[in-house]
Amino acid sequence: LRIEIAEAWDSLLLAQLIRGSVLITQSILRKYIILPSLIIVKNIARMLLFQFPEWSEDLTDWNREMHVKCTYNGVQLSETEFPKNWLTDGIQIKILFPFCLKPWHRFKLQPSHKDPMKKKKGQKNDFCFLTVWGMETELPFDSPRKRR
């Protein structure tokens, strides 16, 4: 299915220009409009329910999210550098540490003695790719993943 979707994009005239522009727009909308709006709504709702707001925790998690430009094949470049000929060859946007709005943050009462560098069994890398619909996928042109 992934290959069929990629081939469909390749077959259309000006498709990479349109797709690249839509991906850049989705990236900006997600990072600077949608996610901050969700954080504001969540914390106002918490205040209305007489709970402590979690501005700093949410903003810290939001600031960790990075949108990295990649080549059409998914080779990572940087946050600011675009691939050469991206308007004709295509582009991917990889989201490192994707933000997930939590209804509340758990506070650690005692320090954990686990090694933070070790991954739990079955844990995936903390990244995803952005689709033209603004959704997250594990691999370029894959179907959207389920939210945590």
Side-chain angles (χ1 to χ4, degrees), residues 63-119:
N63 280 321
R64 283 187 68 211
E65 180 173 293
M66 293 179 10
H67 293 214
V68 179
K69 278 54 163 203
C70 299
T71 64
Y72 191 66
N73 298 326
V75 178
Q76 191 171 312
L77 297 175
S78 77
E79 278 189 277
T80 55
E81 179 186 351
F82 282 85
K84 290 182 179 176
N85 303 325
W86 71 274
L87 289 172
T88 54
D89 295 343
I91 190 173
Q92 301 289 350
I93 296 187
K94 187 178 201 177
I95 302 174
L96 302 176
F97 310 110
F99 177 80
C100 182
L101 190 67
K102 299 172 187 157
W104 57 83
H105 290 266
R106 298 181 195 269
F107 292 101
K108 293 183 180 177
L109 298 176
Q110 57 190 16
S112 175
H113 297 289
K114 294 179 183 176
D115 185 1
M117 297 306 286
K118 283 187 179 177
K119 288 187 177 183

Side-chain angles (χ1 to χ4, degrees), residues 43-60:
N43 284 290
I44 289 173
R46 286 183 61 85
M47 287 188 278
L48 292 174
L49 295 170
F50 302 107
Q51 297 176 353
F52 286 107
E54 298 175 333
W55 295 107
S56 63
E57 295 91 341
D58 290 334
L59 292 175
T60 300

Side-chain angles (χ1 to χ4, degrees), residues 15-41:
Q16 296 306 334
L17 171 68
I18 294 166
R19 184 178 178 279
S21 302
V22 171
L23 280 175
I24 300 294
T25 303
Q26 286 288 1
S27 174
I28 292 167
L29 284 173
R30 175 187 167 99
K31 181 71 175 167
Y32 300 108
I33 296 174
I34 296 170
L35 295 180
S37 298
L38 290 173
I39 291 171
I40 291 167
V41 168

